[in-house]
Amino acid sequence: MDSARGGVPVGSFGGAGADHWLGVEPQTGRDLFARLVYGARVSLGVALAATVVQLVLGVVVGVAAGLGNRWVDLVLTRIADIFVAMPLMIVALALLAIVPAGFPRPVLVALVVGLVSGWGTLAKMVRAQTLTLKQLDYVAAARLSGWGTVRIARRELLPGLAAPVITFAAILVPTNITVEAALSFLGVGVKPPTPSWGQMLTSADVWYQAAPQYLLLPAGALFLTVLALTVLGDGVRTALDPRASSRLRVGTGRRREAS
């Protein structure tokens, strides 16, 4: 470390070499590659856990609203509307700021993000799909056979809901990664010494001129991960949407005929 410059790593690219592939942190000297990899585990883990919470809430509330009576549908739909309109960052900042420090921070962030955002939109989508599916003949036949509501939902409706729910989940994961990074950047997400990409961006705020790699590495990792998951989500949507798949096949056939 160069003590004359406030602890900036000595050498090119932040002291990168055989011992430290991506260099080290200013002042602390911690290996950036190790923190980047461990931060990926934390950020992805929080995003996936939040997505699971959102999927469970959205599917349960949406199916219950679609199969329930008029009052159940009205109450659950209005609750979903409230959470759709709720400002995520403001509510998350308030909730994370008042929770005691002893609670595991990654678990807390995942719960807050999962409970506050995402599931309301999914619930409204699942409700609309449920209202369409329950009018089909095989669902009516199951109802006439004496099946209960829970059995109809589990055996007849959930398989039909799998494609849109999986597609929505593929969109939620990169969104949740961005939210976790934003909360950590604002100082209410994952706390040190546990690293996350958002927290690393916060620490790099005062070093971006003297040690730019300290800022560029977590920002680049965050950008590439969100981009890759977004492209994956679009591919999943295309694969699970029969209309999109048929259009793709027709377009490919026409190009082959033209060539």
Side-chain angles (χ1 to χ4, degrees):
M1 295 295 171
D2 188 351
S3 57
R5 299 176 59 196
V8 176
V10 177
S12 59
F13 201 71
D19 295 330
H20 305 286
W21 294 353
L22 299 178
V24 296
E25 283 186 340
Q27 286 190 327
T28 63
R30 293 179 294 193
D31 186 81
L32 269 180
F33 177 76
R35 287 181 61 79
L36 201 65
V37 172
Y38 196 94
R41 186 176 74 172
V42 174
S43 296
L44 289 172
V46 169
L48 291 174
T51 301
V52 171
V53 175
Q54 292 164 334
L55 291 182
V56 172
L57 279 175
V59 171
V60 170
V61 173
V63 171
L67 293 180
N69 57 38
R70 184 167 63 92
W71 287 107
V72 171
D73 184 17
L74 180 63
V75 171
L76 292 180
T77 302
R78 291 298 169 264
I79 293 174
D81 288 336
I82 291 173
F83 279 89
V84 169
M86 189 175 294
L88 168 61
M89 296 305 296
I90 295 176
V91 176
L93 284 170
L95 292 176
L96 291 171
I98 63 176
V99 174
F103 201 88
R105 206 66 182 182
V107 176
L108 177 63
V109 174
L111 287 176
V112 169
V113 174
L115 293 173
V116 173
S117 70
W119 70 266
T121 303
L122 176 61
K124 293 170 69 67
M125 183 189 71
V126 170
R127 172 189 173 274
Q129 191 72 12
T130 300
L131 292 175
T132 301
L133 291 176
K134 75 176 187 179
Q135 303 298 327
L136 299 180
D137 292 340
Y138 67 88
V139 178
R143 188 181 296 110
L144 291 174
S145 299
W147 285 18
T149 302
V150 176
R151 188 179 182 187
I152 291 175
R154 186 179 71 251
R155 298 286 298 274
E156 304 295 343
L157 295 179
L158 289 182
L161 294 171
V165 169
I166 292 173
T167 302
F168 197 82
I171 299 172
L172 281 176
V173 175
T175 302
N176 290 336
I177 290 178
T178 306
V179 171
E180 184 279 327
L183 291 173
S184 296
F185 181 79
L186 294 173
V188 296
V190 179
K191 298 291 186 180
T194 304
S196 74
W197 290 342
Q199 181 199 116
M200 293 176 70
L201 289 173
T202 303
S203 303
D205 186 43
V206 297
W207 297 101
Y208 68 92
Q209 290 183 334
Q213 81 287 344
Y214 192 25
L215 174 67
L216 295 176
L217 288 174
L222 180 63
F223 170 75
L224 292 176
T225 302
V226 172
L227 177 63
L229 291 173
T230 302
V231 173
L232 175 63
D234 187 64
V236 170
R237 180 190 61 80
T238 303
L240 295 178
D241 186 357
R243 290 173 297 180
S245 299
S246 62
R247 288 195 298 267
L248 181 61
R249 288 194 295 269
V250 170
T252 305
R254 289 177 178 175
R255 286 195 297 270
R256 288 176 178 175
E257 291 176 0
S259 61

